[in-house]
């Protein structure tokens, strides 16, 4: 059963990755992916903390969720140790080369996606009017990671679940 899930995951990866290459989406994917880099969340949270009445709640919520998400992410990644698709010899024949070096060699869960969903959850909680937009953005970050060849679809799903659940776990303790 697990092998059939892994096979389907690889097939979906190949479809999305090939789509990104065919329509030359790598540059756009790289920009979207960069929008999910950690320092951006810090800058956004601090700016809103300083200029918006609800900024303190956003800062506290995001900080608490990241405190839960980051250790869980590191533990899961180092226990599961799933090799990234860009390093899989079988897939390298069919996928295009990666134009940057990922921060580590393991792919499950996607850290970019987990962080994006932590931030989207925090933003949506504090500013409900932008919920659809921030969750779409978080999803696009995950999708970009597949186009860039550094994550499988299940890595993205696991990252999204990790991010949302980390936020939900913290909510009772943040006021």
């Amino acid at each position: 059963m697990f092998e059939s899930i892994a096979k389907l995951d690889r097939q979906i990866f190949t479809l999305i990755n090939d789509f990104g290459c065919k329509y030359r989406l790598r540059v756009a994917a790289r920009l979207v992916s960069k929008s999910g880099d950690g320092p951006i969340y810090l800058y956004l949270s601090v700016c809103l903390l300083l200029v918006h009445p609800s900024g303190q709640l956003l800062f506290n919520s995001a900080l608490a969720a990241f405190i839960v998400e980051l250790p869980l992410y590191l533990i899961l990644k180092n226990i599961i140790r799933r090799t990234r698709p860009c390093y899989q010899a079988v897939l390298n024949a069919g996928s295009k080369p990666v134009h940057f070096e990922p921060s580590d060699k393991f792919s499950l869960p996607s850290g970019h996606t987990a962080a994006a969903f932590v931030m989207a959850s925090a933003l949506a909680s504090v500013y409900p009017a932008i919920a659809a937009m921030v969750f779409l953005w978080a999803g696009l970050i995950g999708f970009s990671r597949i186009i860039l060849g550094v994550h499988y679809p299940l890595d993205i799903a696991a990252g999204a679940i990790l991010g949302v659940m980390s936020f939900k776990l913290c909510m009772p303790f943040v006021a």
Side-chain angles (χ1 to χ4, degrees):
M1 177 176 167
F2 291 119
E3 184 52 41
S4 61
I5 292 170
K7 182 179 178 184
L8 179 61
D9 196 29
R10 289 189 300 268
Q11 289 171 339
I12 295 169
F13 165 82
T14 301
L15 286 172
I16 295 170
N17 188 264
D18 287 349
F19 174 83
C21 292
K22 179 179 178 182
Y23 292 101
R24 297 188 161 112
L25 298 177
R26 294 255 171 156
V27 172
R30 178 69 188 224
L31 291 172
V32 171
S33 181
K34 290 291 276 176
S35 78
D37 287 353
I40 292 172
Y41 303 133
L42 178 62
Y43 301 146
L44 175 62
S45 297
V46 169
C47 285
L48 288 171
L49 174 67
L50 297 174
V51 301
H52 196 275
S54 299
Q56 183 71 56
L57 180 58
L58 173 72
F59 184 86
N60 293 348
S61 300
L63 179 61
F66 278 116
I67 287 171
V68 170
E69 178 268 333
L70 187 58
L72 289 174
Y73 154 77
L74 291 170
I75 290 166
L76 288 169
K77 193 163 254 201
N78 286 295
I79 288 173
I80 298 167
R81 301 173 67 90
R82 184 180 195 190
T83 304
R84 290 181 182 273
C86 57
Y87 298 140
Q88 291 282 339
V90 174
L91 290 174
N92 280 344
S95 63
K96 305 302 180 265
V98 177
H99 299 288
F100 66 99
E101 187 65 28
S103 60
D104 60 57
K105 62 182 177 181
F106 303 123
S107 70
L108 181 65
S110 166
H112 269 78
T113 306
F117 275 89
V118 163
M119 198 65 193
S121 297
L123 286 163
S125 174
V126 176
Y127 308 108
I130 64 168
M133 182 178 67
V134 295
F135 279 108
L136 174 63
W137 163 75
L140 287 173
I141 287 174
F143 192 71
S144 75
R145 306 297 286 171
I146 300 170
I147 290 173
L148 292 171
V150 294
H151 284 290
Y152 293 103
L154 285 178
D155 304 341
I156 303 307
I161 291 166
L162 176 61
V164 170
M165 294 310 296
S166 295
F167 178 78
K168 290 194 175 287
L169 282 170
C170 294
M171 285 300 38
F173 306 105
V174 177

